[in-house]
Amino acid sequence: MSGVRVVEVAQFTYVPVAGAVLADWGADVIKVEHAVHGDAQRGLRNLGGTDAIGGFAPLMEHPNRSKRGIGLALEKPEAREVLYEIVRRSDVFVTNFLADARKKLGIDVDDIRAINPDIIYVRGTALGVRGPEADKGGYDSPTFWSRGGSAVGATPASLGGVVAQPGPAWGDTLGGMNIAGGIAAALFARAQTGEPSIVDVSLLASGAWANALSVDIALNGGPIAEGADPVNGPAIPGNPLVGLYETSDGRHVNLCMLQPGRYWPDFCRHIDREDLVADPRFADAEALMTNWESASKAVAQALGQQTLAFWTKRFETLEGQWGAVQNALEVGNDVMLRANGYVATVLDVDGQSRELVTSPVQFDETPATPGRAPQFAEHTDEILKQLGLGEEKIIDLKVAGAVT
C-alpha cells in the first residue's frame, strides 16, 4: 500500500488496529489525537497486565505501530482546517467516533466528502449504523465477546459462571483486521470503478462472524453451542484422534485428525503403541470409531506418560494434525511464527529493542517491518510543513491551542 494515505480520527484499539495493519502493509497512516488529551488509551497504563516497559507501552504500540501522529483540537475551526488539508491529500478517512461527535466535529461523511469527494470513508462502530442502538458505543468484551456469542460458546454449562475473553483487545484486534480488509477491497473497487465506498464494520458483526457457523446452526433449528467441560480425551464421540489429552507435566496436546482410519497406524507408532495397529478392535476406520472409548483410553494413557516437550519433539514427524496448547509467551517464541517473520523487532523511543507480533498477511513472501508507535503528537510539525504551512503559521496554531 505504498502511496496510500490514511487519516485516522480514532482512539483505543478497535479501529486504530486497522491503521496498524495498513501501516504494516506500507500505507502512510496519520493518527489524529486531541491536542490536549490525546488518545484516551494513553491513560490506560496497565490493562490486562500490559504495563508500560520503559519507553514501550504494548497497549499503544500494538494498534499504533508505524503511524505518524498529530495533535488537533477539532472543536476549534483552525484545527478542523488543518484536518481538512490532510483529508484533501488522503485516500482513506477512518474513525470510531460516535455519530453525534462526528457531526459536532465536522467529520461526518458529508463533511469529509465535501472536502475530498474521492475519499473512502470508514466507520468502525460497536453495534452498527442502523437500528435502535446505533448511537451507542462499546468495547470488545461486552460487544464482540459477550453479545457476539463467544462467551457462551467458550463456557461449559457446569462452570457456574462465564468465561472472559482470553486477553486484552481480543475482539478489537480481530475486528480491526476486518476493517483493514474492507479498506483494501474499497481501494480496489475505487481503482476499478472510480467510485469511493463507505465502509462499515461493527464489533457486534465481527463477533457474530467469528461465531457464524454456530449461529447458522442455531438459526436453522440446531442446538445452541456451549463450551465443553474439560476432558482428557475425545471432543467428538467416535473419534479418539480429536480432542485434548493431558501430558505427564499437566500440559495438553490437541489432536485434530478428522480421518482417524488414515492416521491411526502412524499415530500409534509415534506413541510407541504399534500393538494397537494390529488390534482387531481398531483394524479400520469403522472398527476404530465403534470402539473409540477403548482407543481413547489407550491414547490418554500413552500421552500421559511423557511431558509436553517430549511429545512436541516426537510429533515433529507425525503425519496427522495436532497442536501443543501454548501460553502467550510460548506463542511468541513459536519456532514457526519466528521462521515466517510474524514477530518483528522494533526500537522503542529509548532505542531499546522490543518485539511485536505483526499482522497475519504477508505479500511476496516478505515479513512486515513495523516501526514504533508515535509519541503523543510527535509528527505535528512535520505534517504541517508537508501541508505547506510556514513556521509563523504553525506557531499561531499552537498559541491558539488548535494543534500540539
Side-chain angles (χ1 to χ4, degrees):
M1 285 196 173
S2 178
V4 172
R5 176 169 290 168
V6 179
V7 55
E8 173 193 294
V9 181
Q11 55 184 354
F12 295 104
T13 299
Y14 177 59
V15 175
V17 80
V21 172
L22 299 176
D24 270 359
W25 296 348
D28 175 21
V29 182
I30 297 176
K31 179 179 181 65
V32 177
E33 301 183 59
H34 190 273
V36 178
H37 310 296
D39 185 328
Q41 187 150 282
R42 291 188 185 275
L44 301 177
R45 301 299 288 175
N46 188 314
L47 180 65
T50 56
D51 201 2
I53 307 166
F56 187 81
L59 194 59
M60 285 300 296
E61 299 291 336
H62 166 58
N64 293 298
R65 80 277 300 275
S66 302
K67 299 177 186 177
R68 296 192 291 160
I70 184 172
L72 296 176
L74 294 179
E75 70 274 12
K76 295 179 179 291
E78 305 97 318
R80 282 200 298 275
E81 286 305 316
V82 172
L83 176 68
Y84 292 161
E85 285 301 318
I86 299 173
V87 166
R88 287 188 178 94
R89 296 162 170 81
S90 297
D91 300 283
V92 181
F93 180 91
V94 59
T95 185
N96 61 3
F97 281 31
L98 296 175
D100 287 347
R102 297 197 303 267
K103 292 182 175 66
K104 180 180 178 181
L105 297 175
I107 59 170
D108 218 344
V109 178
D110 293 342
D111 303 308
I112 298 301
R113 286 277 173 84
I115 303 302
N116 182 347
D118 296 324
I119 201 165
I120 293 164
Y121 189 94
V122 185
R123 295 176 294 214
T125 60
L127 300 167
V129 297
R130 293 176 294 278
E133 299 178 70
D135 60 344
K136 292 184 178 180
Y139 293 99
D140 60 345
S141 179
T143 306
F144 178 101
W145 181 255
S146 298
R147 192 164 176 172
S150 291
V152 168
T155 302
S158 62
L159 184 64
V162 178
V163 173
Q165 66 177 13
W170 171 270
D172 289 339
T173 300
L174 297 175
M177 192 74 199
N178 294 341
I179 295 172
I183 290 171
L187 286 166
F188 177 78
R190 191 182 68 173
Q192 298 294 106
T193 68
E195 296 295 325
S197 301
I198 298 173
V199 177
D200 286 303
V201 180
S202 74
L203 281 170
L204 179 59
S206 295
W209 177 245
N211 284 290
L213 185 53
S214 294
V215 175
D216 293 345
I217 291 170
L219 287 175
N220 290 280
I224 296 174
E226 291 182 339
D229 283 310
V231 294
N232 185 31
I236 300 177
N239 188 343
L241 296 185
V242 174
L244 289 160
Y245 287 91
E246 188 173 4
T247 59
S248 64
D249 53 347
R251 301 296 301 277
H252 291 83
V253 296
N254 184 290
L255 306 182
C256 193
M257 299 171 222
L258 299 181
Q259 299 170 281
R262 171 182 172 183
Y263 296 114
W264 181 252
D266 180 68
F267 178 79
C268 290
R269 285 189 285 271
H270 277 80
I271 63 171
D272 295 327
R273 289 297 308 272
E274 290 194 53
D275 58 298
L276 296 176
V277 179
D279 192 317
R281 294 174 299 169
F282 317 129
D284 53 30
E286 183 177 356
L288 182 63
M289 297 184 77
T290 298
N291 298 292
W292 66 272
E293 290 179 285
S294 297
S296 66
K297 288 178 181 178
V299 171
Q301 182 182 33
L303 293 180
Q305 292 177 357
Q306 299 290 348
T307 66
L308 177 62
F310 176 90
W311 293 120
T312 298
K313 181 66 177 177
R314 174 65 65 87
F315 287 170
E316 286 179 355
T317 57
L318 187 66
E319 183 184 5
Q321 299 76 32
W322 76 282
V325 178
Q326 300 188 138
N327 62 36
L329 183 59
E330 290 167 333
V331 174
N333 287 310
D334 190 293
V335 62
M336 292 305 294
L337 204 70
R338 295 278 176 166
N340 286 279
Y342 286 112
V343 176
T345 299
V346 301
L347 295 179
D348 68 15
V349 67
D350 299 320
Q352 297 294 313
S353 293
R354 307 293 187 184
E355 292 188 316
L356 290 174
V357 175
T358 65
S359 52
V361 178
Q362 291 182 357
F363 302 95
D364 301 318
E365 300 179 345
T366 303
T369 55
R372 64 172 174 81
Q375 292 184 282
F376 173 53
E378 180 178 348
H379 303 96
T380 294
D381 286 10
E382 172 187 307
I383 294 169
L384 293 178
K385 288 176 181 177
Q386 288 180 345
L387 298 177
L389 277 63
E391 293 286 353
E392 186 174 335
K393 179 62 174 176
I394 294 174
I395 292 172
D396 289 343
L397 288 169
K398 290 182 176 180
V399 170
V403 306
T404 297

